[in-house]
Amino acid sequence: MGNEDGPKQATIIVFSGALDKVMAGFIIATTAAAMGMEVTMFFTFWGLSALKQDGPAAADCERNWMQKMLGMMLPRRAADLPLSQLNMGGMGAGMLKQIMAQKNFSSLPELIETAIDLEVRMIACQMSMDAMGICREELIDAVEVAGAATYVGVAQDAAINLFIS
Amino acid sequence: MGNEDGPKQATIIVFSGALDKVMAGFIIATTAAAMGMEVTMFFTFWGLSALKQDGPAAADCERNWMQKMLGMMLPRRAADLPLSQLNMGGMGAGMLKQIMAQKNFSSLPELIETAIDLEVRMIACQMSMDAMGICREELIDAVEVAGAATYVGVAQDAAINLFIS
Amino acid sequence: MGNEDGPKQATIIVFSGALDKVMAGFIIATTAAAMGMEVTMFFTFWGLSALKQDGPAAADCERNWMQKMLGMMLPRRAADLPLSQLNMGGMGAGMLKQIMAQKNFSSLPELIETAIDLEVRMIACQMSMDAMGICREELIDAVEVAGAATYVGVAQDAAINLFIS
């Protein structure tokens, strides 16, 4: 392996934009980082929704009509992600959030904050951003933009590699 | 890697509760175990349904109304898992089971038995159990209860790590 | 690890038959292969649809009525795969393909060609073919047929292992 002397690495591809799956990704990422691993998360396709920051869509972001339509159908920010099952128009996601709060588990926005604090590297997939019409300024500041080669470069030396679809 | 002298390890996170995906997890797990690997399966979120044992819900398991509602909507036992696609109200799952039986492939309950015989370690995610209102006595005996740190601890020394979502 | 002197290896299990997920698998596979890794893709369950070649179903392929019914409900070829979300009866998949073409990204058939050129090893899961009633001659020529033990044998020496479900 490449970096035998440094800390062990982990990578997680977040392809899904479902609340339950994205949370699972961040729970593993923050746990691994808290245990001393160097963690890289790579957000692609639907997973990009988890990185959107609050606020209106950027007016100067070029989008064709298909990308505009897609933008209207996708969640506008991490807080709006649906469940992968039993979402029931958002009621399921709302119930999960309420239960998590009652149990004092971290919410997704809190997990993202923790990931940033623990220096989890978060990469947004350039190609997916181009395809879906998402611009850099619409994503949270902590995110880096890169491509599949960057992912493979890290993953081939990592001890844990996961794909969350 | 941590245990260079022992057998190679594999971990599989089973996040999905769909019959086809859970079976894929157990087929890989039992194959790897039969080939001499030490295998750990970590069941979380919807995947916990695969570990439920037959019988009524435990009466003394504390659940709020949201968790009770969730419990009514989720499969009660491994034999009731739906397909991830073409389930058609259970007809798809029934057809898959019938075809598997005709071909003399193992059913999910048989695969679980084989996994136990091959000493596959099965861990139920503590946090998911708390969130979903599932109690220890509702899961099959062979299961151990632990958290994400236990998973990461094993996975960082494993040769194969998979996430089945 | 097994082959410390050869190139690093990667394996990708393609369990999903959704266009977006299959494309993600091929993008990672071709990127890794272009970077010098030895890549093995293992297609199972719904993922087999991505390997079907154009043309009518093989007349001499034995299928019971359940398998025939399944065959009618599944995509007939890689070009017909649906999106995992927002497919809207194929409109979503069509729009994604149109955007990809505008941006000069490779289509799925082009990615498959590139994978073949880069000597990505593509394995179709024997057990899934038997269960779903898919015969060898219905899959593209470049495909090899094998079982889970072949997959585990490769994966346990690979630097990257992913499961796309």
Side-chain angles (χ1 to χ4, degrees):
Chain A
M1 299 277 158
N3 60 340
E4 266 144 59
D5 302 325
K8 286 188 180 174
Q9 297 182 68
T11 74
I12 301 174
I13 295 179
V14 180
F15 178 93
S16 168
L19 179 65
D20 44 338
K21 296 183 179 178
V22 172
M23 287 192 73
F26 274 100
I27 290 168
I28 298 170
T30 52
T31 302
M35 290 169 71
M37 296 185 81
E38 274 181 14
V39 183
T40 301
M41 299 177 83
F42 189 81
F43 295 80
T44 182
F45 269 75
W46 318 101
L48 287 173
S49 296
L51 299 180
K52 284 193 191 154
Q53 46 182 337
D54 279 347
D60 59 347
C61 182
E62 273 186 51
R63 277 180 270 255
N64 63 32
W65 69 268
M66 288 184 291
Q67 291 172 326
K68 282 179 194 155
M69 222 175 105
L70 185 64
M72 286 186 295
M73 290 185 292
L74 288 176
R76 291 286 291 275
R77 52 198 188 121
D80 293 341
L81 300 185
L83 280 192
S84 66
Q85 292 182 42
L86 301 180
N87 190 53
M88 303 175 289
M91 200 171 77
M95 279 170 53
L96 177 65
K97 287 178 204 166
Q98 212 175 318
I99 295 175
M100 302 293 275
Q102 282 170 0
K103 302 275 174 189
N104 289 317
F105 293 147
S106 300
S107 66
L108 178 54
E110 287 164 352
L111 285 168
I112 295 175
E113 277 312 306
T114 305
I116 294 171
D117 290 347
L118 291 169
E119 297 183 10
V120 169
R121 186 179 173 195
M122 291 188 267
I123 301 177
C125 170
Q126 175 74 69
M127 186 178 167
S128 300
M129 289 171 63
D130 288 350
M132 301 181 109
I134 296 173
C135 291
R136 175 65 193 87
E137 63 267 33
E138 295 173 324
L139 302 179
I140 57 175
D141 293 337
V143 166
E144 192 181 326
V145 177
T150 299
Y151 163 74
V152 172
V154 179
Q156 66 184 349
D157 291 328
I160 301 178
N161 293 307
L162 303 173
F163 188 107
I164 302 185
S165 59
Chain B
M1 301 273 159
N3 61 339
E4 265 143 62
D5 302 326
K8 286 187 179 174
Q9 296 183 69
T11 75
I12 302 173
I13 295 179
V14 181
F15 178 93
S16 169
L19 179 64
D20 43 339
K21 296 183 180 178
V22 173
M23 288 191 72
F26 274 101
I27 290 167
I28 298 170
T30 53
T31 302
M35 290 168 71
M37 296 185 82
E38 275 181 14
V39 183
T40 301
M41 299 177 84
F42 189 80
F43 295 80
T44 182
F45 270 75
W46 317 102
L48 287 173
S49 296
L51 299 181
K52 285 193 191 155
Q53 46 182 336
D54 280 347
D60 59 347
C61 182
E62 273 186 51
R63 276 180 272 255
N64 63 31
W65 69 268
M66 288 185 291
Q67 291 171 326
K68 281 180 194 156
M69 223 175 103
L70 185 64
M72 285 187 296
M73 290 186 291
L74 289 176
R76 291 285 292 276
R77 54 199 186 118
D80 293 341
L81 300 185
L83 280 193
S84 67
Q85 292 182 40
L86 301 180
N87 190 54
M88 303 174 290
M91 201 171 76
M95 280 170 53
L96 177 65
K97 288 178 202 166
Q98 212 175 317
I99 294 175
M100 303 292 276
Q102 282 170 0
K103 302 275 174 189
N104 290 317
F105 293 148
S106 300
S107 66
L108 178 55
E110 287 164 353
L111 284 168
I112 295 176
E113 276 312 307
T114 305
I116 293 171
D117 291 347
L118 290 170
E119 298 183 8
V120 169
R121 187 178 174 196
M122 290 188 268
I123 301 178
C125 170
Q126 176 74 69
M127 185 178 169
S128 300
M129 289 171 62
D130 288 350
M132 301 181 109
I134 297 173
C135 291
R136 175 64 192 87
E137 64 267 33
E138 296 173 323
L139 302 179
I140 57 175
D141 293 336
V143 166
E144 194 180 326
V145 177
T150 300
Y151 163 74
V152 172
V154 179
Q156 66 185 349
D157 291 329
I160 301 177
N161 294 306
L162 303 172
F163 188 106
I164 302 185
S165 57
Chain C
M1 299 277 157
N3 60 340
E4 267 145 61
D5 302 324
K8 286 187 178 174
Q9 296 182 69
T11 75
I12 301 174
I13 296 179
V14 180
F15 179 93
S16 168
L19 179 65
D20 43 339
K21 296 183 179 178
V22 172
M23 287 192 74
F26 274 101
I27 290 168
I28 298 170
T30 53
T31 302
M35 290 169 71
M37 297 185 82
E38 275 182 15
V39 183
T40 301
M41 299 176 84
F42 189 81
F43 295 80
T44 182
F45 270 75
W46 317 102
L48 287 173
S49 296
L51 300 180
K52 284 193 190 153
Q53 47 182 336
D54 279 347
D60 59 346
C61 182
E62 274 187 51
R63 278 181 269 255
N64 64 32
W65 68 268
M66 288 184 292
Q67 292 172 325
K68 282 179 196 156
M69 224 174 103
L70 184 65
M72 285 186 296
M73 289 186 292
L74 289 176
R76 292 286 292 276
R77 53 198 187 120
D80 293 342
L81 300 184
L83 279 192
S84 67
Q85 291 182 42
L86 302 181
N87 190 52
M88 304 175 288
M91 200 170 77
M95 280 170 53
L96 177 64
K97 287 178 204 168
Q98 212 174 319
I99 295 175
M100 304 291 276
Q102 283 170 359
K103 301 275 174 192
N104 289 318
F105 293 149
S106 299
S107 67
L108 179 54
E110 286 164 352
L111 284 168
I112 295 176
E113 277 311 306
T114 305
I116 294 171
D117 290 348
L118 291 169
E119 298 183 7
V120 169
R121 187 179 173 196
M122 291 188 267
I123 301 177
C125 170
Q126 174 75 69
M127 187 179 168
S128 300
M129 288 171 63
D130 287 351
M132 302 181 109
I134 297 173
C135 291
R136 175 66 192 87
E137 64 267 32
E138 294 172 325
L139 302 179
I140 56 174
D141 293 336
V143 166
E144 195 179 325
V145 177
T150 300
Y151 162 74
V152 172
V154 179
Q156 67 184 349
D157 290 329
I160 301 177
N161 295 306
L162 303 172
F163 189 107
I164 301 185
S165 58

